[in-house]
Amino acid sequence: MRYDYNPFDKSFDEINPSDLARLFSVAEGWYVEYKQEVPNASAIAKSVTAFANTYGGWLFYGIAEKSKDDAVAGAFPGIACEDADGVLQRIRQAVANHAQPSPYFRVKALMGPVEAIGLPEGRCVIMAQVPWGPEAPYIHKDGRIYRRVGDGSEPRPESDRFILDQLWSRSVKITQQYADWIGRELETSEAEENSPFVRLFLIADFWSDHSSMNGISLRRVREIISDVNGNYTIPFENVYQTSGGFICRQTAYNDPEMLGLTWKLGGNFQSEVIIPLSKFRRDSLDELGDWFEGYKHIGRFLQLCEKQRYLRPTVIDLNILLHVLLGITRIQTALAKEFGWTGPVFAKMEISGVWRTIPFVDTSYVLDEYEKHGLPLGLRDKISIRTGTDQGSFIELDGLQDDDIEKHRILMATKLFVIIALALGIPPIADPDGDGSDFSDSVADFLKAGERALEAQKKRTQRG
């Protein structure tokens, strides 16, 4: 059986009213159900959950089947166009209120007139596409689990224990695949064994229950990933295709044999982004201060280290991390548009190589916290943020629903940065007790710190 049946051979968004003529040769059964009228909420939910529990399918309201012996579409009396918005809302509410969990589906109205099928002016056909549901079984409010069976036009309650066990195991297979992917050890050279990295995993179609996404060419990936127009750009100079997708590496001013900033992009819009962090250790605090020349608050940070008896600390420089994350979310939103993806993206993060390190952010309020409560010290080499394999353990990043894409990507980057900062012991806002600057002021401070760090890095590079 198929999980991607489509009677129209085009995406849901591309289907127009004239395409309904294809249904004259499509019979009800495993994948299709016709209803002349819109039934009650219980019946709507029964049909939707049955498709989600089986192989997915298509539900049409406003179409009458030809006959019981020939169950193809026979007539298109339609639904009144003036009632279309209300019907769409009824369908969504019916599923939300009569199914647990609520399966994903899409629904829209196809407006007449269409002379070729006899759909009159002022009438429409309501079409719902229901993918197979990975979170099955979807249980109806009446306590039953419905499935599509054979060529039947009505859902049937399922009682076979073997089938029920298969439904329960659907999500386990998918989440195990993610667990294997995310749990794979980062491959580094011997010289990089103790180097710090942030690994960011991004998953778009978490359950693979949406229609196929747009493809993307190597040429287009190179255009997006190397774009330097606009703010917070992090161009990748080395981009090539592999059997699993695309590899994008930032090699300028870096040793090309070392693991620098790397983006592994899968053809299904899944990504692993490897972000190297800067870690420094010197023989004395004075030597450490020389390395951080140009940072505004480095003197105070070193005084705190001496006061708290850290005389040869290993320091993680996090000052440009927010800028890097802004560059990543800039690319991510551009890729989302190319893939045609507007839904949420789910993220996991892992921080490694931070055992016995102190995070440094060049802002006064972070140092105020350090002075009051002590310097945070990494007690683990690896920090897995939000452990677990179920969807709820992932960080959900909102989809591209807002017209303000700039605002959207800033919110994405800030959310990721705050989670990383907390994991390393850095307060995400000034005066966490609530007496000082608000969150936006804190973000502005982080951005200014990053600008100072980038300028200091340029001068270091120029000095050789």
Side-chain angles (χ1 to χ4, degrees):
M1 304 298 290
R2 295 179 58 184
Y3 291 97
D4 59 350
Y5 174 79
N6 186 329
F8 303 104
D9 294 326
K10 58 172 62 176
S11 72
F12 181 86
D13 293 329
E14 295 173 328
I15 297 168
N16 58 62
S18 62
D19 292 320
L20 293 171
R22 296 284 298 272
L23 302 179
F24 281 129
S25 59
V26 176
E28 282 191 319
W30 287 106
Y31 307 107
V32 175
E33 182 177 320
Y34 300 124
K35 295 291 184 186
Q36 185 168 337
E37 304 289 342
V38 181
N40 61 37
S42 178
I44 292 171
K46 189 184 297 185
S47 296
V48 172
T49 57
F51 278 127
N53 281 329
T54 316
Y55 304 106
W58 299 73
L59 183 60
F60 299 92
Y61 298 115
I63 299 179
E65 63 183 60
K66 185 175 182 180
S67 68
K68 291 298 181 184
D69 295 326
D70 189 8
V72 297
F76 293 79
I79 307 294
C81 289
E82 62 188 28
D83 297 332
D85 288 342
V87 169
L88 295 176
Q89 187 64 18
R90 275 179 55 198
I91 293 170
R92 296 186 183 102
Q93 289 180 348
V95 177
N97 295 333
H98 289 76
Q100 184 62 39
S102 182
Y104 170 82
F105 69 99
R106 293 195 290 178
V107 61
K108 69 178 180 179
L110 299 170
M111 302 295 183
V114 183
E115 185 177 349
I117 61 175
L119 180 63
E121 185 172 357
R123 308 289 287 182
C124 67
V125 169
I126 305 294
M127 175 182 72
Q129 185 234 345
V130 187
W132 76 280
E135 291 186 288
Y138 299 92
I139 304 172
H140 192 274
K141 191 175 182 179
D142 65 11
R144 296 180 179 181
I145 297 169
Y146 290 94
R147 294 180 69 242
R148 304 291 296 184
V149 179
D151 59 357
S153 61
E154 291 293 333
R156 299 181 190 175
E158 183 57 67
S159 58
D160 185 286
R161 181 65 194 182
F162 173 75
I163 297 296
L164 292 174
D165 285 344
Q166 286 188 316
L167 291 175
W168 283 110
S169 67
R170 279 189 187 180
S171 63
V172 174
K173 295 176 182 177
I174 294 175
T175 54
Q176 186 58 51
Q177 290 174 358
Y178 291 141
D180 293 342
W181 175 42
I182 294 169
R184 196 176 302 135
E185 289 293 327
L186 180 64
E187 296 182 19
T188 58
S189 67
E190 186 174 337
E192 299 165 319
E193 186 176 353
N194 296 314
S195 298
F197 295 94
V198 172
R199 295 172 76 191
L200 171 62
F201 300 90
L202 299 168
I203 300 169
D205 190 0
F206 192 91
W207 294 115
S208 300
D209 57 356
H210 293 58
S211 300
S212 298
M213 282 184 274
N214 300 335
I216 190 168
S217 66
L218 176 60
R219 177 190 61 80
R220 188 66 184 123
V221 171
R222 284 173 171 161
E223 290 174 352
I224 292 172
I225 211 87
S226 61
D227 185 13
V228 294
N229 297 310
N231 298 323
Y232 307 115
T233 59
I234 49 168
F236 291 77
E237 302 84 10
N238 182 208
V239 183
Y240 52 94
Q241 193 163 5
T242 68
S243 58
F246 306 91
I247 302 294
C248 313
R249 303 179 63 235
Q250 194 176 75
T251 54
Y253 311 111
N254 298 314
D255 183 343
E257 294 187 5
M258 300 293 281
L259 184 59
L261 184 62
T262 303
W263 193 309
K264 301 178 183 179
L265 173 65
N268 55 354
F269 197 25
Q270 291 183 8
S271 297
E272 177 186 356
V273 187
I274 302 167
I275 308 168
L277 302 176
S278 297
K279 181 162 74 172
F280 304 100
R281 182 180 176 88
R282 294 293 183 267
D283 290 334
S284 69
L285 292 175
D286 288 339
E287 288 185 17
L288 196 60
D290 292 340
W291 181 263
F292 283 101
E293 182 181 350
Y295 289 62
K296 183 176 182 179
H297 302 285
I298 184 59
R300 184 183 176 194
F301 173 72
L302 295 177
Q303 288 175 1
L304 289 174
C305 288
E306 184 174 20
K307 182 180 180 181
Q308 297 178 31
R309 294 181 291 128
Y310 290 98
L311 302 182
R312 295 180 59 198
T314 302
V315 178
I316 298 286
D317 184 355
L318 294 175
N319 286 287
I320 67 168
L321 179 58
L322 181 54
H323 284 251
V324 173
L325 291 171
L326 282 165
I328 289 170
T329 56
R330 180 178 184 274
I331 292 171
Q332 176 72 7
T333 51
L335 288 171
K337 292 181 69 175
E338 191 70 20
F339 278 97
W341 183 257
T342 59
V345 173
F346 296 88
K348 278 277 191 184
M349 289 190 289
E350 176 188 276
I351 309 169
S352 60
V354 292
W355 183 75
R356 297 296 192 267
T357 61
I358 298 172
F360 172 52
V361 182
D362 194 31
T363 67
S364 59
Y365 86 82
V366 169
L367 297 181
D368 288 344
E369 285 294 302
Y370 286 2
E371 188 164 16
K372 291 178 186 175
H373 307 291
L375 293 162
L377 182 68
L379 300 181
R380 288 182 290 167
D381 186 64
K382 183 183 294 185
I383 302 171
S384 296
I385 297 175
R386 293 200 186 180
T387 58
T389 59
D390 60 289
Q391 185 176 348
S393 70
F394 284 72
I395 303 159
E396 184 172 348
L397 305 173
D398 291 337
L400 290 172
Q401 304 298 331
D402 195 333
D403 292 336
D404 190 346
I405 295 178
E406 178 80 7
K407 177 181 176 182
H408 169 78
R409 68 181 185 84
I410 290 174
L411 289 174
M412 284 178 62
T414 304
K415 184 173 185 177
L416 295 173
F417 177 78
V418 166
I419 292 170
I420 295 170
L422 283 170
L424 293 172
I426 301 169
I429 58 173
D431 292 329
D433 296 332
D435 299 327
S437 304
D438 61 17
F439 182 77
S440 60
D441 290 337
S442 301
V443 172
D445 285 344
F446 282 125
L447 290 174
K448 291 175 184 176
E451 290 167 3
R452 291 193 294 271
L454 288 169
E455 187 61 31
Q457 284 186 5
K458 285 182 184 178
K459 291 181 179 179
R460 269 202 306 263
T461 302
Q462 290 169 356
R463 291 196 301 265

